[in-house]
Amino acid sequence: MTDKTLQQLLDEQGNIVDFLRNQQVGPNAYPGVPAEYSNWRDEQLSWANTAVLFNQSFHMVDLLVTGPDAFEMLHYLAPNSFKGFVPNRAKQFAPVTPDGYVIGDVILFYLEENTFELVGRAPSIEWVEFHAASGKWDVKVERDERTAARPDKDNRRNYRFQLQGPNAMKVLEAAMGATPPELKFFHMAPITIAGVEVRALRHGMVGQPGYELFGPWKDYDTVRNALIEAGKDFGLTLCGGRTYASNTLESGWIPSPLPAIYTGESLADYRAWLSAKSYEAGASVGGSFVSENIEDYYLTPWDLGYGHMVKFDHDFIGREALERMKDQPHRRKVTLALDTQDMLRVMSSMLQKGDRAKFLDFPSAVYAMHPYDAVLKDGRPVGISTWIGYTANEGRFLTLAMVDADVAEPGTEVTFVWGEPDGGTRKPTVERHVQVEIKATVAPAPYSEVARDSYAEGWRTRG
């Protein structure tokens, strides 16, 4: 019996928005690590004050792409340029549809000649797999599924750690017993920790100096234990799954674009290739922004702050659409600092009988895979917020949002709508509640001054 396709599933559902808003899954899980090693407040504070070890070995999909046409195929799928892209470098990889809307966002590692690895959420990876299967390119792909979706939970291809914070370089130097290499942003080099070779990528998730460290799964315990031992004198804190998702509030990276693949004749073959068990088939959407048209949930590279990365120096899928878009008005990525008194009003509703606002969890208040909350100015829609949570480093609730240019200046006051209409959807993460309006002030993204000053030009910092 042939497995059902995504297209067949969508044909059975009727309205796609209603289907996705009522999916029976909550936000992405972060398996393989405890919710908290100590407490989420100290874990957040550590990346700003000492050092933190993020364990990324479990929650992301890896795709190895090899073969003589690997470079050519990936370049054809990427709006950004591959000029000067050579082994031991990495770059953001956010492919778009023929209509110019973002499919997903992962990191592309150029490991060696004809050998690449993509790491992140599944949508971009499935897009690459689809094109690799077309027969147009001489390539091979090998998918290493995230832990939550695989039968052999402890047998991944690679481990992956991130070491971040003011003391990160001191921890790494102690673990290596040598001075770490001086690398430019998104450059890689081999290093040695506890007698095993590790590949180090110069990176930053919260604006602090640090490295992403990865290597074969057999070395997982060796490298992790060496880093923990080396960090004892430098305040190294382990980051749990509860804390991990909140770091994006300070770094300004929007991790949750809904794959823009649910409509369009040009994507019919792709939807027929995707399974009814694919990421797109199980994705959940939540929040106060509601439209009957799923295409209103699609995002452009400019929405996500990636417009400056789009380069028309090569042929790629979506080029003509992006050329038409480039001179049009664009929303800008910003941070919204939510009014503390309004937040207290929302929280105090939990301490009464009767009408209550949607529960606000700490530190991440995201309750669906793809949050979409409405942002208003004087009652008119001016944008979408797509991540919400609390940061102990700033002492307040923040959201990441995309707003019209005329309200994007820091200091502009807008309204953030919290909660779903009509008492909420049927998602199990949604209790009955009433919508509330929260005053918010537009601020830069990243919100953290350290992050804005420390990231390489163009990395997550520009709308």
Side-chain angles (χ1 to χ4, degrees), residues 114 153 446 459:
N114 299 327
K153 304 296 185 185
W459 170 251

Side-chain angles (χ1 to χ4, degrees), residues 139-158:
V139 296
K140 179 183 177 182
V141 294
E142 298 175 58
R143 180 165 174 162
D144 188 38
E145 189 57 78
R146 60 193 177 93
T147 296
R150 60 186 301 134
D152 52 340
K153 304 296 185 185
D154 298 315
N155 189 29
R156 298 211 58 184
R157 182 164 56 233
N158 294 322

Side-chain angles (χ1 to χ4, degrees), residues 148-404:
R150 60 186 301 134
D152 52 340
K153 304 296 185 185
D154 298 315
N155 189 29
R156 298 211 58 184
R157 182 164 56 233
N158 294 322
Y159 65 82
R160 199 169 297 274
F161 305 122
Q162 273 211 7
L163 184 63
Q164 303 289 337
N167 291 345
M169 300 305 290
K170 295 176 181 177
V171 175
L172 187 57
E173 183 170 2
M176 292 174 58
T179 303
E182 288 286 339
L183 295 177
K184 293 181 179 179
F185 191 81
F186 262 25
H187 284 53
M188 291 183 284
I191 63 173
T192 301
I193 295 177
V196 301
E197 184 173 297
V198 176
R199 196 180 293 244
L201 168 75
R202 177 71 174 85
H203 198 1
M205 283 196 68
V206 287
Q208 296 286 355
Y211 280 91
E212 183 165 315
L213 307 167
F214 60 101
W217 186 259
K218 64 181 178 61
D219 296 332
Y220 173 96
D221 288 328
T222 300
V223 175
R224 182 175 181 272
N225 291 340
L227 291 170
I228 293 171
E229 182 63 30
K232 287 182 177 178
D233 294 332
F234 302 107
L236 179 67
T237 299
L238 304 182
C239 179
R242 185 175 181 181
T243 315
Y244 180 83
S246 67
N247 76 74
T248 196
L249 292 165
E250 295 177 46
S251 70
W253 173 57
I254 295 175
S256 54
L258 183 73
I261 58 85
Y262 294 95
T263 53
E265 186 59 33
S266 63
L267 294 170
D269 288 345
Y270 184 49
R271 291 190 298 273
W273 179 85
L274 284 168
S275 161
K277 297 179 181 178
S278 64
Y279 178 103
E280 291 82 354
S284 61
V285 172
S288 59
F289 174 79
V290 182
S291 169
E292 287 296 304
N293 183 2
I294 190 63
E295 293 179 1
D296 290 338
Y297 293 79
Y298 294 173
L299 304 176
T300 73
W302 289 274
D303 292 331
L304 297 169
Y306 293 159
H308 62 281
M309 289 172 20
V310 176
K311 301 297 181 185
F312 301 109
D313 62 356
H314 65 294
D315 186 29
F316 62 89
I317 292 178
R319 174 174 172 165
E320 291 183 3
L322 294 184
E323 285 180 322
R324 291 192 297 269
M325 289 180 187
K326 66 181 177 65
D327 295 324
Q328 296 176 2
H330 300 294
R331 289 181 291 194
R332 287 170 52 187
K333 181 175 67 172
V334 299
T335 305
L336 300 183
L338 301 185
D339 181 80
T340 297
Q341 292 304 311
D342 278 2
M343 295 305 296
L344 290 174
R345 178 169 54 87
V346 170
M347 293 176 198
S348 69
S349 74
M350 303 297 111
L351 305 176
Q352 65 184 30
K353 293 184 178 180
D355 288 343
R356 294 172 179 167
K358 175 77 185 74
F359 179 69
L360 274 162
D361 206 357
F362 286 76
S364 176
V366 171
Y367 58 89
M369 290 167 65
H370 298 277
Y372 279 74
D373 288 307
V375 181
L376 311 177
K377 177 67 175 178
D378 300 326
R380 65 181 173 91
V382 293
I384 295 169
S385 168
T386 186
W387 207 262
I388 177 173
Y390 172 86
T391 165
N393 289 304
E394 303 294 344
R396 69 187 309 166
F397 266 84
L398 304 174
T399 86
L400 297 177
M402 299 157 283
V403 300
D404 295 344

Side-chain angles (χ1 to χ4, degrees), residues 23-102:
Q23 289 277 28
Q24 297 299 290
V25 291
N28 281 336
Y30 295 91
V33 297
E36 297 169 285
Y37 282 95
S38 52
N39 65 81
W40 60 261
R41 284 83 59 199
D42 283 340
E43 290 173 16
Q44 284 188 334
L45 291 169
S46 66
W47 63 59
N49 299 323
T50 53
V52 65
L53 186 65
F54 296 116
N55 193 338
Q56 301 177 312
S57 304
F58 304 100
H59 72 274
M60 296 186 290
V61 182
D62 290 19
L63 185 72
L64 189 66
V65 184
T66 58
D69 292 341
F71 184 101
E72 180 185 358
M73 183 187 75
L74 292 168
H75 199 199
Y76 179 65
L77 301 180
N80 43 338
S81 178
F82 276 30
K83 283 185 177 178
F85 194 34
V86 296
N88 278 322
R89 303 276 180 88
K91 65 169 60 249
Q92 205 82 7
F93 183 83
V96 300
T97 67
D99 292 325
Y101 294 102
V102 174

